[in-house]
Amino acid sequence: MSGRPAIRVGLVIVAAGSGTRLGHDHPKAFVELGGRSLLAHALDRLASAADDVVVVGPPTHMEQALAQVERMGPGTRVVPGGATRTGSVAAGMAALGAVDVIAVHDAARPLVDAAALRRAVAAVVDGADASAPALPVTDTLKEVADGEVVIRTVDRASLRAVQTPQVFRAEVLHAAHARGVDATDDLALVEAGGGTVVLVPGSARYLKVTYPDDLLLAEAFLASGDHEERA
């Protein structure tokens, strides 16, 4: 990015999800991986690539969330999450200072490296409204009815599995949220408004921990060593 004005990056880490599907009775962000919480891993890997960091914690576990970020210094803050993911992201955005781009990351993806964030930021700086890491879909996909009856095989050549962090021009994300619609991710809000979304290379290591088997796979990746790419 040489020759360009400095770009201020705001990072919102959403950590308000439950750990029910992991078999835990506490929020997923506090589940341990290699002796440290998923949230701690995400903070350690991504905070250095941002100028302002806000963690959106579970309203019922704010003291625990605060304890997780105290060691990060005054540049990292915690706010309570909303009733939906979209509401939680909005709460994090509102707590950010003046930034040019906003990155939204799920704490449940603990092994995403700073290089992924920098790649997505670069795509936005180069003109996209939004960007995120993604992987080609490798499984055969079937469209079904009633959960069992196959209607057709879906051509996977043009399909991608999108990961986080998702990065946006700040004004684009604020405008997308102002429309008052909920979505499973913020890219969908930008797409609905006609914004341009560019995908950058993702990694299997950027998996989302949702089920116990995901945690086992993340532990295997962690044990294999830190393979962060240097941008």
Side-chain angles (χ1 to χ4, degrees), residues 7 21 39 44 71 77 90 95 112-113 125 131 165 168 184 204 215:
I7 299 297
R21 287 180 290 181
L39 175 57
D44 284 350
R71 63 191 174 77
R77 300 175 303 288
V112 177
D113 52 50
V125 170
S131 181
F168 309 84
T184 56
L215 193 59

Side-chain angles (χ1 to χ4, degrees), residues 17-44:
S18 75
T20 304
R21 287 180 290 181
L22 267 176
H24 290 263
D25 58 2
H26 56 270
K28 187 193 303 185
F30 306 134
V31 171
E32 290 198 350
L33 169 67
R36 301 171 64 242
S37 72
L38 301 184
L39 175 57
H41 282 286
L43 280 167
D44 284 350

Side-chain angles (χ1 to χ4, degrees), residues 6-85:
I7 299 297
R8 284 188 56 81
V9 178
L11 173 62
V12 175
I13 298 183
V14 183
S18 75
T20 304
R21 287 180 290 181
L22 267 176
H24 290 263
D25 58 2
H26 56 270
K28 187 193 303 185
F30 306 134
V31 171
E32 290 198 350
L33 169 67
R36 301 171 64 242
S37 72
L38 301 184
L39 175 57
H41 282 286
L43 280 167
D44 284 350
R45 290 166 181 270
L46 294 178
S48 64
D51 300 288
D52 195 7
V53 181
V54 173
V55 171
V56 183
T60 56
H61 290 71
M62 288 302 289
E63 286 188 14
Q64 196 170 355
L66 285 165
Q68 293 282 311
V69 304
E70 279 181 352
R71 63 191 174 77
M72 302 301 295
T76 303
R77 300 175 303 288
V78 181
V79 298
T84 64
R85 186 185 189 282

Side-chain angles (χ1 to χ4, degrees), residues 141-154:
L141 300 176
K142 305 287 186 182
E143 183 180 353
V144 301
D146 300 321
E148 301 257 344
V149 180
V150 173
I151 297 174
R152 67 187 179 101
T153 298
V154 179

Side-chain angles (χ1 to χ4, degrees), residues 129-168:
D129 290 315
S131 181
L135 288 177
V137 174
T138 57
D139 290 324
T140 297
L141 300 176
K142 305 287 186 182
E143 183 180 353
V144 301
D146 300 321
E148 301 257 344
V149 180
V150 173
I151 297 174
R152 67 187 179 101
T153 298
V154 179
D155 182 5
R156 68 190 182 198
S158 63
L159 300 179
R160 297 294 182 271
V162 177
Q163 303 170 320
T164 68
Q166 298 179 355
V167 177
F168 309 84

